[in-house]
Amino acid sequence: MILQGITFYIFATIAVAGGVMVVAARNPVHSVLFLILTFFTTAALFVLIGAEFLAMVLVVVYVGAVAVLFLFVVMMLDINFVEMREGFLQYMPIGMLVGIILLVELLMVLGTASISPEVLATGTEPIPDLTQRQNTAAIGDVIYTKYIYAFQSAGMILLIAMVGAIVLTLRQRPGVRKQKVADQLARRREDSVELKKVQPGQGI
Amino acid sequence: MAEFWSIYLLPGIIILAQILAIVVPLLLCVAMLTYAERKIMAAMQLRMGPNVVGPFGLLQAFADGAKLFFKETVLPTSANKIIFLIAPMLLFLLSMVAWAVIPFDEGMVVSDINVGILYLFAISSLGVYGIVMAGWASNSKYPFLSALRSAAQMVSYEVSIGFVIITVLLCVGSLNVSDVVRAQAEGVWFVIPLFPMFIIFFISTLAETNRHPFDLPEAEAELVAGYQVEYSSMTFALFFLGEYANMILMSGMTAILFLGGWLPPFDIAPFNWIPGPIWFFLKIAFLLFVFVWVRATLPRYRYDQLMRLGWKVFLPFSLLWVALTAGVLVAFDMVPNT
């Protein structure tokens, strides 16, 4: 359908332009906002190929959580942007070299990679119609049966990374008075308030 | 040309009409909600509330709107102008687009997509950008502090909202919003078996919409008006409209997930004469009344208490309930769609 083609090119152009602007923008906050734009248009591209589950997960995880924390950190940075740009020419050769190495590696992987025949077979099978099989269910089946160990170990690695980050940043400061909610709730009126009948002219 | 008409133009016009049929009543509801909030608060505090403009003050919201419309839009000189203007538009837009997947009755929905619940969750998690962008672009200290508070608060409570939604989805077996309601037509409303999750979800929606007692991003005693400090005229009005539309949306989500959406409470004679959209509207109205009631009753949370509630109380509890619900469903062989 021609409409689909047009929408694809619109979204693809925005995604690529957003990606370029992430690198080119002078202000880091603008960079993050362009990154969000790129994520979002990529999600739109996922919708166009009928992978709506992946699209929504991309938006929920990357745009809704990861990018918020990015923005959070970048907003609080106190950097002199002009100073940051000064060494551009000096660092460009190294940057170019890293970029070229990455490109060559990618080409080597993509050029020589042989996808396992099983997977290739599933790729050539026609995808079942969306009315019969939702891709949410299809992804769930694959993840939780065939790739369960890979999926679970990825989860474990993330969990360990999270625990590590928390342990590294946790510091016990002496002399901090923490709120003890249990104590506050256990407090009864009789323990703290006493009603006295005060006679006039006598005091307590 | 005839083909062009039937394939592109006609569906386009129909979709446009559907969008208008949702957005216009929604904006009217927002106007009435601001009026209702002031009236209910006034009644609870033994005051009169707005009673001058129109009969019973019913046109107060429109008078306020007209006033804001004719004010000058002030652009602070040190603000980041483009982001400053995009932020309120974004917040307003996001509160509108989420309504695309909300079913008002059986089949009465603009876009009946398979991942509707995820779509709602995704859109509601984007709402934080409007506030963060506004706070940063204002280039002023109170809005910035408010943006930081808001970002941390919304991310924290989204986690427990996610777990609550997962619990409901375990009982439904589909991500389609209409299927969630249909699943409740067969059994009971989810508010009965999942009552603790209903409470958690409601409190989390209060935090997610920055409402009392969690309105720390705009706590007037500490931050003047939070991220809205530098905004005036229509840019401020857009924030206001977006915030109230979000309240209605979150109430709608609660009604769909726990209170059976368009379903009548009992499927017997006097109840099922009333059409579905009216039941849905009544449920939303009830939840919104509780929103206002909470505002009139409770004092504001302190920020560390807010974080404690989100991470140390709601998160472990909802995680436990996810495991418990899944365990019960598997043990008693009640897993849907297997």
Side-chain angles (χ1 to χ4, degrees), chain A residues 129-147:
Chain A
D129 193 51
L130 282 179
T131 51
Q132 295 164 14
R133 191 100 181 95
Q134 292 179 11
N135 60 44
T136 315
I139 289 172
D141 277 351
V142 175
I143 285 181
Y144 287 102
T145 54
K146 198 170 175 189
Y147 296 107

Side-chain angles (χ1 to χ4, degrees), chain B:
Chain B
M1 193 64 208
E3 193 189 7
F4 178 75
W5 165 258
S6 63
I7 296 178
Y8 296 114
L9 221 52
L10 193 66
I13 291 170
I14 291 173
I15 292 172
L16 209 64
Q18 283 175 329
I19 292 172
L20 279 179
I22 287 185
V23 168
V24 173
L26 179 64
L27 289 178
L28 275 176
C29 284
V30 167
M32 282 300 115
L33 176 60
T34 59
Y35 167 77
E37 181 176 29
R38 292 170 71 176
K39 268 295 195 200
I40 295 168
M41 291 264 293
M44 285 177 182
Q45 296 164 348
L46 301 179
R47 294 185 284 115
M48 293 291 281
N51 61 354
V52 175
V53 191
F56 309 107
L58 269 170
L59 299 175
Q60 181 69 44
F62 301 101
D64 291 344
K67 189 197 89 173
L68 280 171
F69 189 77
F70 287 113
K71 292 258 176 180
E72 182 192 354
T73 308
V74 180
L75 280 176
T77 42
S78 61
N80 198 315
K81 300 219 168 37
I82 298 172
I83 298 181
F84 186 80
L85 288 178
I86 287 177
M89 295 181 205
L90 186 75
L91 200 84
F92 179 71
L93 204 72
L94 286 173
S95 64
M96 296 287 137
V97 289
W99 285 90
V101 295
I102 299 276
F104 295 90
D105 199 351
E106 178 70 55
M108 205 169 146
V109 49
V110 175
S111 152
D112 195 18
I113 57 176
N114 283 331
V115 289
I117 289 279
L118 271 180
Y119 173 82
L120 277 177
F121 188 55
I123 295 296
S124 70
S125 71
L126 290 183
V128 62
Y129 282 111
I131 296 175
V132 170
M133 280 162 74
W136 181 79
S138 298
N139 209 350
S140 162
K141 49 180 170 295
Y142 293 121
F144 187 66
L145 286 171
S146 153
L148 294 182
R149 278 186 176 188
S150 171
Q153 176 178 335
M154 289 174 95
V155 169
S156 307
Y157 279 85
E158 230 142 65
V159 180
S160 53
I161 285 188
F163 278 120
V164 174
I165 291 178
I166 286 175
T167 325
V168 172
L169 293 181
L170 280 173
C171 304
V172 175
S174 165
L175 287 170
N176 189 311
V177 185
S178 302
D179 280 351
V180 175
V181 180
R182 278 179 216 126
Q184 297 177 74
E186 292 156 17
V188 287
W189 293 359
F190 289 139
V191 66
I192 295 167
L194 301 174
F195 186 70
M197 292 312 253
F198 170 67
I199 299 294
I200 288 188
F201 189 79
F202 184 74
I203 297 175
S204 298
T205 54
L206 287 178
E208 185 79 3
T209 48
N210 295 326
R211 286 287 297 180
H212 294 251
F214 306 114
D215 65 332
L216 286 146
E218 46 193 288
E220 69 277 354
E222 307 153 31
L223 296 179
V224 193
Y227 55 93
Q228 298 166 342
V229 168
E230 305 290 343
Y231 284 91
S232 58
S233 177
M234 278 319 277
T235 48
F236 172 76
L238 284 180
F239 270 125
F240 209 74
L241 290 172
E243 207 168 290
Y244 278 79
N246 254 335
M247 274 167 64
I248 303 179
L249 175 73
M250 282 296 178
S251 301
M253 259 176 95
T254 319
I256 285 170
L257 289 175
F258 292 102
L259 300 178
W262 66 77
L263 299 172
F266 305 102
D267 200 10
I268 47 174
F271 293 110
N272 55 17
W273 289 343
I274 300 169
I278 292 185
W279 278 118
F280 189 53
F281 180 81
L282 285 177
K283 286 166 187 171
I284 292 181
F286 169 71
L287 288 165
L288 287 172
F289 175 76
V290 183
F291 265 74
V292 179
W293 189 6
V294 166
R295 178 179 173 187
T297 312
L298 295 176
R300 186 175 293 132
Y301 260 57
R302 213 172 56 207
Y303 200 72
D304 61 319
Q305 291 172 334
L306 172 92
M307 282 295 158
R308 183 185 165 273
L309 186 70
W311 289 106
K312 291 188 179 171
V313 181
F314 282 1
L315 181 60
F317 189 78
S318 50
L319 204 57
L320 182 81
W321 260 86
V322 170
L324 191 73
T325 314
V328 167
L329 287 176
V330 171
F332 294 101
D333 206 19
M334 298 191 297
V335 184
N337 293 354
T338 42

Side-chain angles (χ1 to χ4, degrees), chain A residues 83-95:
Chain A
E83 214 172 84
M84 235 172 76
R85 294 273 151 190
E86 268 176 2
F88 182 70
L89 277 179
Q90 189 190 340
Y91 295 122
M92 201 172 71
I94 306 171

Side-chain angles (χ1 to χ4, degrees), chain A residues 11-187:
Chain A
F11 282 128
T13 318
I14 295 174
V16 172
V20 171
M21 286 308 288
V22 173
V23 187
R26 288 189 161 269
N27 192 328
V29 175
H30 291 177
S31 286
V32 179
L33 291 176
F34 277 115
L35 185 68
I36 293 160
L37 181 70
T38 313
F39 282 147
F40 206 78
T41 38
T42 316
L45 290 178
F46 272 126
V47 171
L48 272 185
I49 58 169
E52 73 262 8
F53 181 74
L54 284 180
M56 290 309 151
V57 168
L58 187 75
V59 174
V60 170
V61 174
Y62 282 93
V63 184
V66 175
V68 174
L69 298 178
F70 262 19
L71 198 61
F72 202 92
V73 173
V74 170
M75 267 180 6
M76 288 196 283
L77 291 178
D78 184 27
I79 316 169
N80 189 346
F81 304 128
V82 183
E83 214 172 84
M84 235 172 76
R85 294 273 151 190
E86 268 176 2
F88 182 70
L89 277 179
Q90 189 190 340
Y91 295 122
M92 201 172 71
I94 306 171
M96 291 280 275
L97 190 68
V98 173
I100 289 169
I101 292 173
L102 266 177
L103 184 69
V104 170
E105 279 179 351
L106 267 177
L107 285 178
M108 278 165 69
V109 169
L110 289 179
T112 57
S114 59
I115 305 165
S116 78
E118 277 177 75
V119 177
L120 210 60
T122 53
T124 48
E125 274 171 25
I127 302 165
D129 193 51
L130 282 179
T131 51
Q132 295 164 14
R133 191 100 181 95
Q134 292 179 11
N135 60 44
T136 315
I139 289 172
D141 277 351
V142 175
I143 285 181
Y144 287 102
T145 54
K146 198 170 175 189
Y147 296 107
I148 178 75
Y149 295 118
F151 184 65
Q152 289 294 331
S153 44
M156 288 304 283
I157 291 167
L158 286 174
L159 181 68
I160 292 165
M162 192 179 85
V163 172
I166 292 171
V167 167
L168 284 176
T169 52
L170 193 71
R171 58 184 177 136
Q172 299 284 355
R173 283 181 297 167
V176 177
R177 282 156 46 119
K178 276 193 180 163
Q179 183 184 21
K180 297 195 187 87
V181 177
D183 285 3
Q184 290 179 337
L185 293 176
R187 209 169 105 142

